[in-house]
Amino acid sequence: MRTTVGIIGAGPAGLLLARLLHDAGIDAVVLESRDRAYVEQRQRAGILEQGTVDVLRAAGAGERMDREGLRHDGIELRYARRRHRVDFPALTGGKSVTVYAQTEVCKDLIALQLEEGGPLLFEAEALAVEGAESDRPRVRFRHEGREDVLECDYVVGCDGFWGVARKAVPAGVGRVFERAYPFGWLGILADVPPSHDELVYARHDRGFALLSMRSPSVSRLYLQVPEGTDAEAWSDEEIWDELERRFETDDDWTLRRGPITQKSVTPMRSFVHEPMRHGRLFLAGDAAHIVPPTGAKGLNLAVGDVVTFARALTHQRETGSAELLDAYSETCLRRVWQAERFSYDMTVLLHRAPDATPFEDRLQLARLERLASSRAAETDLAEAYTGFAFG
């Protein structure tokens, strides 16, 4: 099998890249190790930055998002029983974010790819990337019980942290920057309307909590828990009781309870692999970087990566210049590190470390009080949350 761009992974990054290349008249093949049902049901991120929303619309994948997605013009910070709203449009010149689950983004992009795009092979497990330093890189993969080879001009690894793409970068060529956090998120899906119309980020002496949603009738909520926690060790009643404690306020706000349909624990880590390119192999999304979910940046960073690659390859096709392709890693990493910085800042601002001292507790409250009283501090948060520019 032969193509211009071999894409490993049919998450939102790989699927969007295939769509962007199709629109530019560049052929691509997408290899996905899982079946279609798994990809369309895999629960992940749900917050789309303004730039991500704009890109999906321009790619023809915005119709259902515009109809069913929930536009949010702010978030609420909650601490010491106080509530403070950050108004995004007022601080950013009109930007907002949209709540629209990654599963829905994937469904929309899969439908477009199967209807209009190039080959999208499910249950096609990439085994290795070979010849990345040559002008004919290859992806060995297994599909329908036999091994095959996809010959490409370029390979883009959108196959996540555990995928084969990054493993093709020789030891000693890349450098890794990472941090593991001593806590995770116990996340639930519940069949109950959200208790607030925007996301609520709560700092509490017992730990962080987040109120989010998937739809007007489905709530998504999180609790900070110790690293290694078993989700099933928490009963439904214990989860609701703890959420209620951490979201407590001095007014009459109340937390709505309902049937919990899903529980899971997400570990927290920061990770960056530099560079994001080796020869004709380009890394994108979680294959190159991980952020703690506090900043809602993971999916959006992946979108920025593939937009950068698609623009660069299109530029080369139109001008003959490889300047933008050669700058891919440097261009992406500028945005990546700003997102890493923001996600880290939000994490240490709102989570209580297991060994936190009273001094550190007071610093957290002082930072939150600064956000609540300074337009400059609020603006920095709002600009980062709604998204850094692509490229």
Side-chain angles (χ1 to χ4, degrees):
M1 189 180 294
R2 181 83 176 85
T3 191
T4 301
V5 180
I7 301 171
I8 309 175
L15 292 166
L16 177 59
L17 176 57
R19 181 65 184 176
L20 295 174
L21 295 175
H22 169 78
D23 289 348
I26 299 171
D27 61 300
V29 172
V30 183
L31 305 176
E32 168 55 47
S33 62
R34 304 282 192 163
D35 62 25
R36 179 177 179 178
Y38 180 90
V39 174
E40 293 187 340
Q41 294 168 12
R42 181 169 45 193
Q43 291 291 334
R44 291 291 189 275
I47 305 296
L48 308 184
E49 295 174 355
Q50 182 72 63
T52 297
V53 169
D54 294 342
V55 166
L56 289 170
R57 285 175 181 152
E63 181 181 351
R64 195 163 66 93
M65 174 188 68
D66 286 335
R67 186 172 66 249
E68 300 178 11
L70 307 174
R71 172 180 163 138
H72 282 198
D73 287 336
I75 58 172
E76 181 174 292
L77 300 175
R78 197 169 290 192
Y79 60 98
R81 304 178 67 94
R82 295 174 55 192
R83 305 170 64 179
H84 176 75
R85 182 175 185 267
V86 179
D87 186 332
F88 292 156
L91 296 163
T92 64
K95 289 184 180 179
S96 63
V97 297
T98 297
V99 175
Y100 190 62
Q102 173 175 313
T103 50
E104 307 310 309
V105 173
C106 287
K107 289 174 187 176
D108 297 340
L109 290 169
I110 286 170
L112 283 171
Q113 184 71 9
L114 294 177
E115 181 180 350
E116 303 174 8
L120 166 54
L121 304 182
F122 290 104
E123 299 181 86
E125 179 187 6
L127 304 173
V129 178
E130 301 170 341
E133 297 176 3
S134 72
D135 59 0
R136 286 288 188 273
R138 299 151 39 103
V139 181
R140 283 197 300 108
F141 68 99
R142 182 183 294 110
H143 185 235
E144 296 181 343
R146 64 182 181 88
E147 284 197 20
D148 205 341
V149 173
L150 177 62
E151 297 183 345
C152 321
D153 293 334
Y154 306 93
V155 176
V156 182
C158 303
D159 52 342
F161 183 81
W162 301 107
V164 302
R166 193 175 67 251
K167 296 175 183 175
V169 180
V173 171
R175 187 178 179 189
V176 166
F177 304 84
E178 59 185 330
R179 178 190 179 101
Y181 299 86
F183 43 74
W185 279 10
L186 169 60
I188 65 166
L189 280 174
D191 286 338
V192 60
S195 302
H196 194 58
D197 55 1
E198 293 177 335
L199 273 68
V200 178
Y201 288 78
R203 185 269 174 204
H204 194 277
D205 286 342
R206 297 176 63 92
F208 168 75
L210 172 62
L211 186 157
S212 182
M213 64 281 295
R214 282 294 177 262
S215 74
S217 61
V218 177
S219 294
R220 183 75 160 148
L221 300 107
Y222 299 92
L223 286 170
Q224 176 188 343
V225 293
E227 181 184 20
T229 293
D230 177 6
E232 296 306 319
W234 285 70
S235 71
D236 291 6
E237 185 177 5
E238 287 173 330
I239 291 171
W240 286 118
D241 287 347
E242 190 62 26
L243 286 165
E244 204 163 70
R245 290 186 194 100
R246 298 190 192 183
F247 286 124
E248 62 188 359
T249 64
D250 282 333
D251 59 18
D252 59 356
W253 182 90
T254 58
L255 179 68
R256 296 171 179 163
R257 300 188 180 206
I260 294 176
T261 59
Q262 185 183 105
K263 299 178 193 175
S264 62
V265 173
T266 302
M268 304 280 281
R269 68 183 307 175
S270 301
F271 172 89
V272 180
H273 181 281
E274 294 188 5
M276 291 173 56
R277 175 189 181 181
H278 177 65
R280 292 200 171 200
L281 168 63
F282 296 76
L283 303 179
D286 287 0
H289 41 73
I290 301 283
V291 288
T294 327
K297 288 282 163 271
L299 183 155
N300 297 290
L301 275 183
V303 168
D305 294 342
V306 298
V307 167
T308 300
F309 178 81
R311 287 176 178 171
L313 188 56
T314 302
H315 179 76
Q316 185 192 51
R317 283 293 186 92
E318 293 175 347
T319 68
S321 170
E323 178 184 6
L324 297 185
L325 273 178
D326 291 341
Y328 169 80
S329 181
E330 181 182 355
T331 300
C332 289
L333 284 169
R334 283 196 297 269
R335 191 170 190 266
V336 165
W337 276 111
Q338 285 302 316
E340 291 282 355
R341 185 269 308 169
F342 174 67
S343 299
Y344 172 82
D345 286 350
M346 288 285 282
T347 300
V348 299
L349 172 69
L350 296 164
H351 293 74
R352 193 171 192 276
D355 58 351
T357 65
F359 178 81
E360 290 164 325
D361 290 338
R362 291 295 293 150
L363 281 181
Q364 281 185 319
L365 292 173
R367 292 189 182 106
L368 286 160
E369 288 167 359
R370 174 66 175 168
L371 280 166
S373 61
S374 166
R375 186 177 178 87
E378 268 194 310
T379 299
D380 183 61
L381 186 154
E383 288 179 344
Y385 198 99
T386 54
F388 303 105
F390 298 144

